[in-house]
Amino acid sequence: MPSSSFLPTREADGANKILAEVSTDPKQLAEETKKAVRDKLAELWESSIGKLPKEYQTQIYHERAKKQLDHFLEFYAAWVPLGGDYARAREEVERLLAGRKALRDFAPTNLDDGGLPKSPFDPARATVLRLPTDKQGKPILEVPPALVSDPKLRFNKTEFLDAVSLLKRVYGVQELLGKVPQTRTLARMATDITATNAENLEEDLDDKQKSLDFPYFAILLADGDRMGARLGELKTIEAHQDFSRKLSRFAQSVQGLLEQTVYEGSPPPKPHPYRFCVYSGGDDVLAFLPVNRAVACAKALCSAFKKIDPALSLSIGIAIVHYREPLSISLEAAREAEKAAKNKSAPKHEQGNRLAVALHTRGGVPLTVVRSWDELSDPKLDWDTLIQAYRQQAVSRGLAYELRELAREWLDEMGKEALNAEARRILERKKGRGLELPEFGKAKDLEIYANQLIIARFLSGNLRRKPMPERVLEIRALSPLLFRDGRPFSAADGSETAARSLPLPLPSTVAGFVRTQIGLAEGKGFTHEQLQNLHGLQVCGPLLARGGEILFPAPRDAVIYRDAGGSPNVMRLLPFTPPEGAGCDLPEGLQPLQVTQDVKPESGYNFWTARDMERWLLGEVFVPEKVQGLPVETRVHVAMDSAKGARARKGSSLAWPTDPWRWAKAQRTTSPPACGCGSRCPTAKPPPPSATWGASAARWRWR
């Protein structure tokens, strides 16, 4: 069993996977462990909610909350006989666990939440708050006034939280209030390291929230490279335990390391410094940081990770994001930066061991620069050199953009000597004092360097200038399409309640849309009888279509990966019976899927063509066509409050980030993509030639 050094502490989080040698019945132990974990979550709920005033506790449906907590955690277990070969047994149990995780058992639940508003943070769950009622006893769609008026809980009137979201809010207020910096505080810290959350609260109360000179902060994500391969080299239990202890010590040191690097000799706020580390467990780190200290923190983490084993390497992604951007979008930007640093699609010798920095300005195109740690050892390419040049005002703002323009217009046939000479001429004309350009082999190298200069200005923390017949319905996009989940279509104070876009519309959305159009086309009105007929209309879909060909979501039993030579390959996951003494916690009668190779799934194979799906179902083994899916464009929509004039909301702008589909590029090489759904439609005249879907127009064709 794991020692106490692997358990969660105030400095580090516990492991999300436990590998143990057991002498008791593994199935019984798995059940007991699952119960213990759920009991711990329930205990956390009781202790946190129990500290609230009685007036608040009466505003909560505790029974519904208990059911939601019981079904929240995902738990998987697998086991094999240890025998005399630990390395072989570990490999077998990892594969068995991977096969178990590829399947999910969905138990029927009755949460008694029909008609209640969904949680803005998890639309799959309804609110556990008791809604006030009007004089007729009908519920009013507002959070209980007692919770809204609490200055610490800071509820918005439309934050209908589920049990887990409510627990996070209450626990955060009770245990972390004043210890974790707000995103606005992190943005302030780039120019004033002594900034505190209290200043934000004073501005909110005085209605004098100022626009910040520097409104950006950084999200850092770090992950060890090829850790699975390193664990595979450990042949004994003792060696594995020793390696795990070193990883645990690294995780426990992360918070102190970040704190020391951020403050860098400056006195931290009293009574205690802020916690910048959101998560640290094993080789994974997530942290929110002031922008001007993000690269320094990345270097400190990389150096500390190397002390575990000099052969190990760490890939880090940093996303520079606006403090008002919804946190879900900002976190996704950090994940994309980390993915760029890992570079899984490249040959193995080019994967990992890199730092990726991505700049996401409001309304601008994202900019990402990736360099290996070896490249950054060159002072001319080191981030610190460029950041320092901006801090000392030795570089003009226009230098980077002129160099980038030169790179985009340059033809490599013109020679690298002339390219470097022209770049140096621009540097001299822009009076780039103390900055020495590296040698550029081609125009692309210069463009990357110019982008690095642009990002370095942000990292410096200084932005100031100086049975019926079946028919197929095709929906063709004439403009960007927007589909969202069940969150309310408004931005609350926390921004996280804004609607989130979906890759495809929900089946219920499509069904309602089709039935409405048919009802309008028939012209009979929406009487009770007509509504009953329309509700009986069976609608299947939606399915993505490209050039008249239906695309299907990739099957879960197909794993695309790259072999040792870098070529794409496919592994078919088949049900199998575990060997004697082995098993997993699937319901009785279900078999896990067998993972035959330890590989990382290749990204980009999100959809399969109908022909490829047919071949797969017939048992053929082949690499399908790579269809990543729909291009996505992020937009921010701003609403003006007519009652207050230009001010949309007290203390914040009212904005909705959305991800509409964009077809402009796709239409250059293929016919316009379409979203198709099969439906059993009655014989009726076609609907009008155009119809409205959200903010977009759609053209309908019947066949």
Side-chain angles (χ1 to χ4, degrees):
M1 293 296 292
S3 68
S4 59
S5 63
F6 303 136
L7 298 177
T9 65
R10 291 190 175 272
E11 290 75 32
D13 298 277
N16 61 359
K17 179 192 289 186
I18 299 176
L19 179 67
E21 178 185 5
V22 300
S23 56
T24 59
D25 179 12
K27 185 172 185 178
Q28 180 182 350
L29 180 61
E31 290 297 326
E32 292 173 354
T33 304
K34 182 192 298 186
K35 182 179 182 303
V37 172
R38 288 179 174 172
D39 289 347
K40 182 63 179 179
L41 184 61
E43 177 187 332
L44 192 61
W45 167 271
E46 294 295 338
S47 62
S48 299
I49 302 301
K51 295 177 184 177
L52 292 175
K54 293 295 183 182
E55 179 187 4
Y56 293 4
Q57 294 185 39
T58 58
Q59 305 298 322
I60 301 171
Y61 282 106
H62 293 273
E63 188 61 32
R64 184 183 304 128
K66 182 179 182 301
K67 290 181 180 180
Q68 289 186 3
L69 293 173
D70 286 343
H71 291 86
F72 171 67
L73 293 172
E74 291 187 4
F75 185 94
Y76 305 101
W79 50 88
V80 298
L82 180 59
D85 189 343
Y86 170 75
R88 178 197 58 77
R90 190 192 68 81
E91 182 178 350
E92 288 181 355
V93 76
E94 290 282 5
R95 289 182 178 179
L96 182 57
L97 182 63
R100 166 64 181 95
K101 290 174 67 176
L103 299 174
R104 295 184 181 180
D105 47 311
F106 296 94
T109 58
N110 180 18
L111 300 181
D112 190 27
D113 56 8
L116 292 176
K118 300 297 184 181
S119 169
F121 299 105
D122 186 356
R125 295 178 171 86
T127 182
V128 295
L129 301 179
R130 294 182 183 273
L131 304 183
T133 57
D134 58 18
K135 294 180 179 179
Q136 285 74 36
K138 296 181 179 180
I140 302 174
L141 295 182
E142 287 187 0
V143 172
L147 299 178
V148 176
S149 61
D150 191 293
K152 292 184 177 179
L153 293 176
R154 305 187 75 174
F155 267 91
N156 182 271
K157 289 184 178 181
T158 58
E159 280 190 306
F160 306 109
L161 300 188
D162 61 287
V164 177
S165 302
L166 179 60
L167 176 58
K168 288 182 178 180
R169 176 71 59 87
V170 174
Y171 181 84
V173 168
Q174 294 173 350
E175 302 295 331
L176 301 175
L177 188 63
K179 301 177 184 178
V180 178
Q182 299 172 0
T183 55
R184 198 193 320 176
T185 303
L186 288 168
R188 289 176 183 272
M189 291 179 71
T191 54
D192 179 11
I193 195 64
T194 63
T196 63
N197 293 340
E199 297 168 356
N200 301 333
L201 182 59
E202 291 172 6
E203 288 186 3
D204 289 341
L205 295 176
D206 295 340
D207 197 20
K208 296 179 181 179
Q209 183 175 333
K210 304 173 183 176
S211 59
L212 302 184
D213 293 329
F214 190 89
Y216 293 91
F217 73 103
I219 299 180
L220 180 149
L221 265 174
D223 185 34
D225 299 318
R226 293 177 284 277
M227 296 299 289
R230 180 68 183 92
L231 290 174
E233 297 171 359
L234 306 175
K235 303 301 181 183
T236 65
I237 294 178
E238 293 73 22
H240 197 155
Q241 289 177 331
D242 180 63
F243 186 75
S244 296
R245 289 191 187 95
K246 291 178 180 179
L247 280 177
S248 180
R249 283 196 291 268
F250 165 76
Q252 293 174 8
S253 70
V254 167
Q255 169 56 27
L257 192 64
L258 295 178
E259 178 187 322
Q260 180 182 356
T261 306
V262 168
Y263 291 112
E264 197 185 21
S266 301
K270 296 180 180 180
H272 39 64
Y274 283 131
R275 290 185 59 87
F276 301 103
C277 182
V278 178
Y279 174 83
S280 63
D283 60 316
D284 296 318
V285 175
L286 170 62
F288 292 177
L289 302 163
V291 162
N292 61 332
R293 302 305 300 155
V295 170
C297 288
K299 289 184 174 182
L301 289 174
C302 184
S303 177
F305 194 72
K306 283 278 189 182
K307 293 179 181 178
I308 299 175
D309 185 339
L312 294 178
S313 62
L314 194 67
S315 291
I316 299 179
I318 296 174
I320 304 170
V321 294
H322 199 282
Y323 80 94
R324 285 177 180 249
E325 196 74 15
L327 199 55
S328 57
I329 295 179
S330 299
L331 282 169
E332 186 59 32
R335 295 186 188 101
E336 289 298 321
E338 183 196 34
K339 190 183 298 183
K342 302 288 281 186
N343 196 24
K344 292 293 184 60
S345 61
K348 281 194 174 182
H349 67 279
E350 297 180 9
Q351 294 180 12
N353 194 30
R354 305 193 304 173
L355 171 64
V357 184
L359 172 63
H360 292 259
T361 58
R362 287 197 123 183
V365 178
L367 207 60
T368 303
V369 171
V370 185
R371 294 204 183 275
S372 68
W373 292 109
D374 293 336
E375 284 183 287
L376 294 175
S377 63
D378 181 353
K380 297 177 183 178
L381 296 176
D382 186 20
W383 283 104
D384 288 341
T385 302
L386 307 183
I387 293 170
Q388 197 62 26
Y390 278 108
R391 287 177 180 168
Q392 296 174 355
Q393 299 183 355
V395 180
S396 68
R397 180 176 178 270
L399 173 62
Y401 296 96
E402 287 204 30
L403 290 177
R404 187 168 68 174
E405 190 66 23
L406 170 64
R408 291 177 174 177
E409 295 179 350
W410 195 265
L411 299 177
D412 285 335
E413 303 89 77
M414 299 165 65
K416 66 177 184 179
E417 292 79 9
L419 174 66
N420 284 279
E422 181 63 15
R424 287 192 294 269
R425 187 191 67 80
I426 294 175
L427 176 65
E428 183 178 351
R429 180 168 58 83
K430 302 297 288 187
K431 298 180 180 179
R433 303 180 301 276
L435 186 65
E436 186 177 356
L437 297 179
E439 287 292 317
F440 305 110
K442 51 187 178 181
K444 186 64 177 177
D445 298 335
L446 175 58
E447 184 176 3
I448 294 174
Y449 181 79
N451 290 338
Q452 189 175 2
L453 276 174
I454 294 172
I455 296 175
R457 185 170 73 92
F458 282 79
L459 290 172
S460 69
N462 181 15
L463 290 186
R464 294 181 178 178
R465 295 177 178 267
K466 239 171 195 171
M468 296 164 56
E470 182 176 276
R471 297 188 180 186
V472 175
L473 181 66
E474 286 187 356
I475 306 173
R476 292 182 175 270
L478 300 180
S479 61
L481 297 178
L482 170 63
F483 303 110
R484 65 182 181 93
D485 56 19
R487 292 173 173 82
F489 201 45
S490 61
D493 293 343
S495 294
E496 275 300 296
T497 54
R500 182 178 299 172
S501 297
L502 298 173
L504 285 174
L506 296 172
S508 57
T509 302
V510 175
F513 187 76
V514 170
R515 291 164 182 162
T516 299
Q517 293 304 310
I518 292 175
L520 291 173
E522 291 182 339
K524 298 179 181 178
F526 293 94
T527 63
H528 178 74
E529 181 180 356
Q530 179 69 354
L531 287 175
Q532 292 296 322
N533 293 335
L534 290 173
H535 286 163
L537 180 68
Q538 298 180 12
V539 180
C540 304
L543 294 174
L544 193 63
R546 181 189 61 181
E549 181 183 27
I550 297 294
L551 300 176
F552 295 90
R556 290 294 300 271
D557 61 342
V559 178
I560 313 298
Y561 66 97
R562 289 187 178 273
D563 57 25
S567 301
N569 213 327
V570 63
M571 173 173 55
R572 182 187 289 272
L573 305 183
L574 296 173
F576 81 110
T577 302
E580 183 70 20
C584 60
D585 60 338
L586 273 173
E588 200 69 26
L590 295 181
Q591 293 180 319
L593 299 180
Q594 186 172 24
V595 179
T596 57
Q597 301 183 62
D598 296 322
V599 294
K600 293 281 187 179
E602 183 74 358
S603 61
Y605 294 85
N606 300 331
F607 292 88
W608 284 28
T609 64
R611 174 57 184 154
D612 284 345
M613 182 64 77
E614 180 182 2
R615 293 175 60 192
W616 182 257
L617 294 176
L618 291 175
E620 294 184 39
V621 178
F622 63 98
V623 177
E625 178 186 349
K626 190 173 185 178
V627 183
Q628 187 161 357
L630 303 166
V632 173
E633 174 183 87
T634 300
R635 297 182 177 183
V636 175
H637 306 265
V638 179
M640 307 305 293
D641 190 334
S642 58
K644 298 182 180 179
R647 189 164 203 157
R649 175 171 295 182
K650 176 181 177 181
S652 64
S653 65
L654 188 59
W656 299 283
T658 60
D659 297 320
W661 295 344
R662 184 176 56 190
W663 302 116
K665 294 183 179 179
Q667 290 176 344
R668 296 176 185 172
T669 56
T670 63
S671 59
C675 174
C677 65
S679 59
R680 298 187 59 181
C681 305
T683 302
K685 62 182 181 180
S690 64
T692 300
W693 190 323
S696 305
R699 185 175 72 224
W700 297 83
R701 293 199 322 184
W702 292 76
R703 55 180 193 184

